[in-house]
């Protein structure tokens, strides 16, 4: 058994059945992604539109591509219709533009709303109060070509696990609140994308349904 397969297995063994693993392949060449595919992995995460396009064109069609990077409006044509899920819908304008592009293509694009929970200036995303206001305004219900499927967030990059846990807990309670106020009885609003290589075990304990793991999978020697 090769090291990549072993690593995928050991991570999957730590995940409950309701939590999916997206293998973040953003820094990996096509050959390595193919090895992970051959080991059984089907969901991969990319953070740059052009790289997503290029890799998708060279790899099997049954790969489920997740777009996880900041998306500029002038690049959305490369992503809409190709990504199974866009995790990084992080502004009102981007949502409007994504909806427009999906309408033009006559498709429904699955998206997660990115929430800014980390104590770091550089992270993109909606502030929790901003998202509450957007939900209350009815705006999220006016995007017929988007399927809003949940929330995505990144915890602070810190060794303070109590802080990480608090941030994930905040995400989960915001998710529950939005589900009740804005998406009641909508089974499509079901995802909480949180947890990366260093913190996915905590994220799982706090209710994550999708972990996005890169280096912990791909840093193994093959
Ligand atoms: C790079 C990245 C990941 C994966 O990070 P690792 O620490 O390599 O697991 C997850 N989510 C997002 C949004 C990323 O940009």
């Amino acid at each position: 058994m090769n090291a990549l397969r072993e690593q995928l297995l050991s991570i999957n063994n730590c995940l409950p059945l309701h939590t999916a693993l997206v293998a973040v392949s953003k820094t990996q060449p096509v050959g390595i992604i193919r090895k992970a595919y051959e080991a059984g992995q089907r969901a991969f995460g990319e953070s740059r539109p052009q790289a997503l396009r290029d890799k998708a064109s060279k790899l099997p069609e049954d790969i489920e591509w997740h777009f996880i990077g900041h998306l500029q409006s002038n690049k959305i044509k490369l992503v809409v219709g190709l990504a199974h899920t866009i995790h990084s819908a992080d502004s009102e304008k981007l949502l409007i533009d994504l909806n427009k592009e999906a309408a033009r293509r006559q498709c429904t694009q699955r998206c997660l709303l990115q929430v800014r929970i980390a104590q770091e200036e550089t992270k993109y995303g909606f502030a929790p109060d901003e998202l509450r206001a957007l939900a209350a305004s009815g705006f999220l219900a006016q995007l017929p070509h988007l399927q809003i499927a949940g929330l995505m967030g990144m915890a602070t990059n810190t060794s303070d696990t109590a802080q990480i846990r608090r941030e994930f807990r905040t995400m989960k309670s915001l998710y529950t609140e939005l589900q009740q106020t804005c998406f009641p009885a909508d089974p499509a609003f079901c995802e909480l994308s949180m947890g990366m290589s260093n913190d996915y075990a905590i994220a799982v304990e706090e209710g994550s349904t999708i972990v996005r793991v890169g280096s912990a999978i791909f840093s193994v020697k093959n």
Side-chain angles (χ1 to χ4, degrees):
M1 197 157 66
N2 68 43
L4 191 53
R5 184 183 296 263
E6 258 175 69
Q7 198 57 18
L8 283 165
L9 256 180
S10 85
I11 293 172
N12 270 306
N13 282 339
C14 300
L15 302 179
L17 281 176
H18 66 266
T19 304
L21 172 63
V22 170
V24 175
S25 51
K26 63 188 181 192
T27 59
Q28 302 302 318
V30 165
I32 300 285
I33 301 173
R34 193 182 300 278
K35 277 194 182 165
Y37 177 86
E38 284 163 2
Q41 181 64 30
R42 289 296 177 272
F44 291 91
E46 288 290 327
S47 61
R48 295 174 54 193
Q50 194 59 53
L52 169 68
R53 233 334 128 92
D54 293 346
K55 290 176 181 180
S57 73
K58 293 174 185 145
L59 285 158
E61 285 203 347
D62 63 337
I63 286 181
E64 190 181 276
W65 292 103
H66 291 250
F67 191 81
I68 63 171
H70 176 61
L71 189 49
Q72 289 169 316
S73 285
N74 63 353
K75 298 281 174 63
I76 62 179
K77 284 189 165 68
L78 296 169
V79 177
V80 169
L82 177 57
H84 172 274
T85 303
I86 296 172
H87 290 231
S88 43
D90 60 4
S91 73
E92 212 171 325
K93 176 178 189 309
L94 182 61
L95 285 167
I96 291 167
D97 291 345
L98 285 169
N99 184 64
K100 223 177 267 173
E101 178 62 13
R104 200 180 67 80
R105 291 196 190 207
Q106 298 182 294
C107 70
T108 301
Q109 178 62 57
R110 192 170 189 258
C111 296
L112 306 180
L113 303 169
Q114 183 171 350
V115 185
R116 198 166 63 230
I117 46 164
Q119 303 294 312
E120 287 164 1
E121 283 299 321
T122 54
K123 298 271 161 80
Y124 292 102
F126 294 100
D129 277 341
E130 193 183 355
L131 205 50
R132 287 187 183 98
L134 212 54
S137 73
F139 169 78
L140 296 178
Q142 295 161 20
L143 304 164
H145 288 273
L146 301 184
Q147 182 188 79
I148 306 292
L151 305 182
M152 183 274 252
M154 277 179 272
T156 303
N157 184 8
T158 172
S159 57
D160 182 349
T161 56
Q163 181 180 350
I164 293 171
R165 191 177 294 281
R166 270 199 309 277
E167 291 174 358
F168 286 151
R169 210 163 271 184
T170 301
M171 276 283 291
K172 169 77 185 202
S173 68
L174 182 63
Y175 166 81
T176 305
E177 180 189 330
L178 285 175
Q179 185 184 40
Q180 287 166 356
T181 58
C182 196
F183 301 94
D186 180 359
F189 191 83
C190 62
E191 304 284 18
L192 194 48
S193 169
M194 56 187 200
M196 308 177 19
S197 291
N198 290 330
D199 56 20
Y200 72 87
I202 303 173
V204 162
E205 287 171 4
E206 298 303 329
S208 171
T209 66
I210 306 178
V211 295
R212 309 174 312 271
V213 179
S215 46
I217 297 172
F218 292 109
S219 62
V220 295
K221 289 257 182 305
N222 265 276

